[in-house]
Structure formats: C-alpha cells, structure tokens
Amino acid sequence: MSALAISTSANASTVVKFDDLKGDNLLVPDGYGGIQWDNNWTYYGFEQNPYTAESIPNRIYGNYIKWGSNGLTSIPFYFASPVIFDGGYFSGMDSSYPASFSLYNEGTLQATSASLTPSSTLTFLSSGYTGLVDEVRVNWYNSETALDNVTYHTAAVPEPASLIGLLGLGSFGVISKLKRNRKPQVNC
C-alpha cells in the first residue's frame, strides 16, 4: 500500500501594525487589517511616553468619545470569519489596572487570556487560546493603555488534493471492510 501524504495550506499570519494609516487621532477604518473596528479604536503616531509603539509610528487606543475617557472598559473588534487570535503589544501608564483579552465565537465566551499590567516597557500579551474566535474584547483601563501589532492567523485548511486523497482512502477502507464481512454462500 502506498503512503498518502496529507498537506494543509500554510496558516496565513497577519500582523496589523497600523503604520500606513495617515493622520493622528483618527478612527481605525473598518476592514483595516481584515478586522471590523466598529468605530471603537483610534490610532495615532506622535511620540508619547509611556505609550510605546512596537512598530513606528502608529498604535491604537479605545475611542474615548464612544467608551469614555476613564474607567475599566471592555472594547471589542471583530473578524468577518473565525480566526486564531494570537495577541498584541501593550504599553501604558504604570498602574495597578491589568489588561487582558476576552475571546468570543458566535457570541459565546471561549477563553480569557492571562493579564498584564501595562508599563512603558512594551509587552506582548498572548491570547493563550488556539481555538477559533470572531470577536476579541480588550479589557483595560481606557485612558492609560495603548495597543499595537495585533496578531492573528487563519486555521490550516486541507489542500483540495488532500481532500480527494482522504475521500479515496476512506472509500478503499469501506470497500475492504465490506469484502471481509461478506460470507460465502453455500448452495445445497
């Protein structure tokens, strides 16, 4: 029996850096980086310590007009189809208010990441979850934190040739089982 190689298309990683957006203190446009931002996020690129950017110049913060300038908030962004959300970089005021991600699929909470306390030392926060999600909520103190380089990837999808091979292998198995189970007829 010959071996069947099963391949999958590579996971397409996306790092949303915001750096090609022009202007300052403007809403991140829906669809940017494959994400629906829903007027929840604002970007800017001027230097502002302790809000360090992972890639220069831009990073994002919660839309103050929509979410209020102070207070603990949970601000969402959405994916048109489910993805595996990897995480993002946080920076901000040294404070006792931790930041975390809540991950949803079809409106149901799937996981919540670990948390970190933002500081001027830019830190990547992993989602810690490898399942599919279509919504991410960033839990943080809205006026004291910035986010940069949001990272996600699509799930591996079997190549069409692999699917045909799997169907062929399955059919072969079914036929073999049927032949083994068939008993010879005895004529009298």
Side-chain angles (χ1 to χ4, degrees):
M1 186 161 118
S2 62
L4 173 66
I6 300 172
S7 64
T8 58
S9 63
N11 293 357
S13 276
T14 301
V15 179
V16 183
K17 296 183 177 186
F18 311 102
D19 296 332
D20 60 339
L21 295 172
K22 304 296 181 207
D24 275 317
N25 290 319
L26 299 172
L27 293 174
V28 178
D30 273 345
Y32 181 79
I35 300 172
Q36 291 303 110
W37 299 97
D38 201 30
N39 295 327
N40 292 330
W41 299 91
T42 303
Y43 68 91
Y44 72 103
F46 55 86
E47 229 178 280
Q48 185 186 28
N49 194 29
Y51 306 103
T52 312
E54 167 63 13
S55 57
I56 296 177
N58 293 336
R59 61 270 198 209
I60 62 174
Y61 62 89
N63 177 357
Y64 288 175
I65 295 169
K66 190 171 182 179
W67 293 95
S69 61
N70 290 312
L72 297 172
T73 58
S74 183
I75 306 175
F77 55 85
Y78 309 92
F79 297 93
S81 58
V83 301
I84 299 170
F85 179 71
D86 299 315
Y89 283 89
F90 285 96
S91 63
M93 301 289 287
D94 293 326
S95 69
S96 59
Y97 301 107
S100 66
F101 298 113
S102 293
L103 309 168
Y104 290 80
N105 195 20
E106 297 182 3
T108 302
L109 179 65
Q110 302 298 308
T112 299
S113 72
S115 61
L116 67 79
T117 300
S119 70
S120 59
T121 303
L122 194 68
T123 307
F124 184 80
L125 177 60
S126 171
S127 75
Y129 181 66
T130 58
L132 295 175
V133 300
D134 58 14
E135 177 184 347
V136 174
R137 295 182 191 170
V138 182
N139 311 306
W140 62 4
Y141 199 78
N142 195 22
S143 67
E144 296 182 356
T145 311
L147 177 64
D148 199 8
N149 288 15
V150 170
T151 307
Y152 67 93
H153 64 279
T154 57
V157 177
E159 298 287 346
S162 297
L163 290 174
I164 292 169
L166 286 172
L167 289 173
L169 185 60
S171 298
F172 176 75
V174 168
I175 291 169
S176 296
K177 177 127 177 97
L178 289 173
K179 284 183 179 180
R180 278 193 308 264
N181 289 341
R182 189 167 52 173
K183 298 189 181 206
Q185 291 183 345
V186 177
N187 292 328
C188 296

